[in-house]
Amino acid sequence: MDYQQVIARVAQNWSTVEAEVNNAVADAGRDRNDVRVVGVTKYVDAAATAALVAAGCDQLGENRPQVLWEKAESGLIADSVQWHLIGHLQRNKVRRSLQYRPIIHSIDSPRLLECVAEESHAAGFVTQVMLEVNVSGEANKTGMDQETLEVLVERCSGAKDGASLRNVEVIGLMAMAGWGTDLQAARQQFFLVRKLRDHLRATYRLPLSQLSMGMSGDFQAAIAEGATMVRIGSRLFEGVMEKH
Ligand SMILES: *Cc1c(COP(=O)(O)O)cnc(C)c1O
C-alpha cells in the first residue's frame, strides 16, 4: 500500500466514523461540540498518524509515552494537534511527556497525580488530567477503585492538599469497559461512571466536565451515556493497520 492509498483510506475511515459519531450525538439529543473524537494512533507509524491529521483529526491519543515523544518529534505531525496520553504513565516519564502538553487521561494513582502536579509546577504550567476509574472491577484493569478516587478528588477540591496539587486541573473521569463485555454491559458501566462523576461533582467543588469513555466497539453507547471524549483507534485504521 503506498502512502496515497493510506491517505485515502484513512480519510474514508475518518468520515465514516465522524458520521457515526454525529448520529450517536443526535440520537442522544446532545450537542456535537460537546463530544471530541480522540484518534488513537498507537497502531500506526508517524506517517499514517499524519494521514489522520490531514483527514481532519486534531486530537491524537497514544498509550505509550515514548511513542508520543517520537511522533511529536518526527516533524510529520503539526504542532497544533492536541496530544492525549491514554495509557499507563510511569513517573519517570512524566517530565519528558509534559513537554508536549498532553491531556493525561490515565491518572491511575495518587502518586502519579502528585508527580504530574510537581513537574507541572516546576515547568510553570497547569496540566489537564482525568482520573481513571476501574469501573468493571477487574483486577487486571488499570484505574483506581472508587474509594481511592474519591479520596483523591476530595484532596484536589480542597483545603488540605489544594496547594500541592494546584498545577493539575482535574477535568473529569476516564474509564474502559471490561474486556469481553457486551454492549449492554458496557453501557451500564458507562452509566455508572457518569453517576460517579455526578456524585463527585455534587459533593466536591470540581467541575469534572469531561468523561473519557468509549472506543471503536462501544462509542455509541458511551455517547448515549454522556461521554465527552471517545477514544477511537482501530476503526480509523481499518485497512492500514500494522497490527491488531
Ligand atoms: C487502544 C486504546 C483505545 C482505542 O481502542 P480501539 O478499540 O482500537 O478503538 C482506547 N483507549 C485506550 C486506553 C487504548 O489503549
Side-chain angles (χ1 to χ4, degrees):
M1 193 175 220
D2 69 29
Y3 191 52
Q4 287 314 314
Q5 289 171 305
V6 170
I7 288 190
R9 184 64 204 262
V10 169
Q12 182 195 331
N13 291 346
W14 172 253
S15 55
T16 306
V17 167
E18 270 282 305
E20 290 179 22
V21 168
N22 289 345
N23 284 337
V25 169
D27 286 349
R30 299 182 54 202
D31 184 336
R32 181 65 188 82
N33 294 319
D34 292 341
V35 181
R36 251 191 272 190
V37 177
V38 177
V40 176
T41 51
K42 65 188 182 189
Y43 305 111
V44 298
D45 62 13
T49 300
L52 182 64
V53 177
C57 179
D58 61 359
Q59 310 285 319
L60 300 181
E62 284 288 338
N63 63 341
R64 293 174 54 214
Q66 299 99 309
V67 177
L68 190 158
W69 308 342
E70 282 165 27
K71 287 184 180 174
E73 279 165 18
S74 67
L76 295 172
I77 318 271
D79 288 337
S80 56
V81 303
Q82 172 67 57
W83 289 100
H84 297 254
L85 252 180
I86 62 175
H88 178 63
L89 176 60
Q90 290 170 284
R91 279 173 295 148
N92 64 7
K93 299 203 172 70
V94 166
R95 183 177 306 167
R96 173 94 191 263
S97 297
L98 289 181
Q99 289 178 23
Y100 309 104
R101 307 300 309 276
I103 294 175
I104 303 175
H105 293 225
S106 42
I107 298 291
D108 54 10
S109 73
R111 289 200 310 177
L112 177 60
L113 185 67
E114 287 157 11
C115 178
V116 171
E118 204 171 295
E119 294 291 350
S120 299
H121 180 66
F125 49 63
V126 172
T127 300
Q128 292 193 327
V129 302
M130 280 177 273
L131 306 180
E132 184 175 355
V133 53
N134 182 343
V135 71
S136 66
E138 286 172 47
N140 62 347
K141 279 255 140 171
T142 53
M144 292 176 274
D145 61 51
Q146 296 190 18
E147 198 184 311
T148 306
L149 191 129
E150 179 149 358
V151 170
L152 192 54
V153 167
E154 184 175 15
R155 279 180 57 189
C156 291
S157 74
K160 270 196 234 124
D161 283 293
S164 68
L165 294 174
R166 71 175 176 262
N167 285 75
V168 284
E169 182 189 359
V170 179
I171 60 175
L173 304 183
M174 181 268 216
M176 274 189 273
W179 295 119
T181 37
D182 61 29
L183 260 182
Q184 211 185 334
R187 182 160 174 173
Q188 178 63 18
Q189 291 178 4
F190 297 142
F191 168 75
L192 292 174
V193 176
R194 183 175 45 139
K195 279 219 350 193
L196 175 63
R197 187 279 304 272
D198 292 348
H199 160 71
L200 295 172
R201 187 155 64 174
T203 311
Y204 308 98
R205 279 167 214 262
L206 288 176
L208 299 175
S209 62
Q210 304 295 313
L211 290 172
S212 168
M213 53 192 199
M215 321 201 305
S216 288
D218 54 21
F219 67 85
Q220 287 96 339
I223 289 169
E225 294 300 343
T228 62
M229 296 191 200
V230 289
R231 308 179 309 270
I232 301 180
S234 38
R235 283 293 307 281
L236 295 174
F237 295 104
E238 271 168 19
V240 302
M241 272 190 278
E242 292 155 353
K243 48 185 187 222
H244 192 61

